[in-house]
Every structure is written in C-alpha cells, then in structure tokens.
Amino acid sequence: MGPDPRRTPGGLLEQATDRTLVERCVDGDTRAFQVLITRYGRMMKAYAVRLTRSSADGDDVVQEALISAWKRIDTLEDGAMVKSWLMRIVSRRAIDLMRQRKDTESTDDVMVEAPERDGPERRAEASSQLGALSAALDRLPHGQHQAWVLREIGGYSYEEIAEQLGQSVASVRGSLARARVTLVKEMEGWR
C-alpha cells in the first residue's frame, strides 16, 4: 500500500491551512479544492439561501460560485482570505440572480434546527421565533432585505454592501435603518 495521497508535508490535507489549500488548488489539485468545499460549503449554502430566499436558488448560486472560484482561484492574492473571498463570490452570484428574478421564493423551505440540549418547549419556541423572523424578512422591501442579509448574516461593511448593491453608503445606511426598525416592531409583537 502506497502513501496516502491526501497527505501534505504538515499532515493530512484536511488539516492544511487555507493558504496551503489555495496554493495546491492553483497547482491544479482538485482534492485541495474539495477540502475547501467541505470546509465552507455549508456556510456558503446557508448564506446563499438567506440572500435568495430559496433553497433551490441557493444551490444554484453555490454551484455557480464554486465553478467561478475554481476558475479564478489563481487570482486570490492571499490564500488565508479564501473564506471571505468565497462568500463575496456567493454574494455577487446571489445578487445577480435576484436582479434577474425580481420575485423570489419564500424562506419557508429553510430549516434551522434548535440545539439538542434544549427541551421540546425551547425548540418549539426557537422554531416559532425563527419562523416569525423569516416571515418579517420576507415582508421587507427587496433592497432592505438584501442590505440586512449582507450586513447581519454576511458581516459586510456598509461600503462593501454599497458596492455589491450599486448604491451609495448613505442609501445603504438608510435601508438598514428602516429594515431594523421594521423588524424590531414586528418581532416585538411576536409574543
């Protein structure tokens, strides 16, 4: 039996740093890219679903983002930044899709599980709260929804959101402020 092809000089490929994995991807190592997909794929999918409000569209966005990432991985200057780079690609793809389709599907098909350590009552309450928040997000105007998801889920700065949405920073701040006020009002009435 020969040596394990997943081994790197520092240990298993799965334990390699993002920078090392990116370097190997640039050299054409598809196994290294698979490790990156395993490492960040679920996060990319959750983010895409939140942005598109659709599990199916989220899958499409992630698929397109991964194809784009593989083709352009050699343009990434700092391999340690691959996670944020992948999330930006997902964001761009999702926004492109949303621009193409003005009417998006509901987030009702998004399933978020409560931690197992909580009892059935707490899980039911958490599920109900998530449902209420999801419904409130669905009722936000399109631009406010996009800005809120990019800021609160994606962790983007106001400047990055403005760039992604093709708006001014002041417009993004206004959209976020209105979205937050609306969500707070709706969630206060939840109980």
Side-chain angles (χ1 to χ4, degrees), residues 81-189:
M81 302 301 293
V82 70
K83 176 182 168 186
S84 61
W85 182 71
L86 289 169
M87 298 306 276
R88 279 193 305 274
I89 294 172
V90 167
S91 175
R92 285 186 199 113
R93 294 288 183 231
I95 289 169
D96 289 346
L97 178 68
M98 289 184 293
R99 284 181 181 149
Q100 291 171 359
R101 298 182 193 164
K102 285 298 178 184
D103 38 24
T104 60
E105 296 178 23
S106 172
T107 58
D108 291 341
D109 59 349
V110 179
M111 298 297 293
V112 179
E113 303 237 352
E116 286 298 317
R117 68 180 184 277
D118 294 330
E121 297 85 17
R122 177 64 189 119
R123 284 196 301 266
E125 182 181 340
S127 177
S128 182
Q129 283 177 325
L130 285 171
L133 177 59
S134 180
L137 282 169
D138 282 343
R139 288 189 294 273
L140 286 176
H142 185 69
Q144 289 180 24
H145 179 268
Q146 284 181 308
W148 189 89
V149 169
L150 288 170
R151 179 69 180 170
E152 302 301 330
I153 296 176
Y156 281 63
S157 70
Y158 293 109
E159 292 78 14
E160 290 169 326
I161 296 169
E163 180 183 327
Q164 289 289 322
L165 299 180
Q167 300 175 356
S168 69
V169 172
S171 178
V172 167
R173 287 184 190 277
S175 290
L176 283 169
R178 288 186 296 280
R180 289 174 180 144
V181 166
T182 301
L183 291 173
V184 166
K185 284 180 183 175
E186 291 204 27
M187 294 307 291
E188 281 176 352

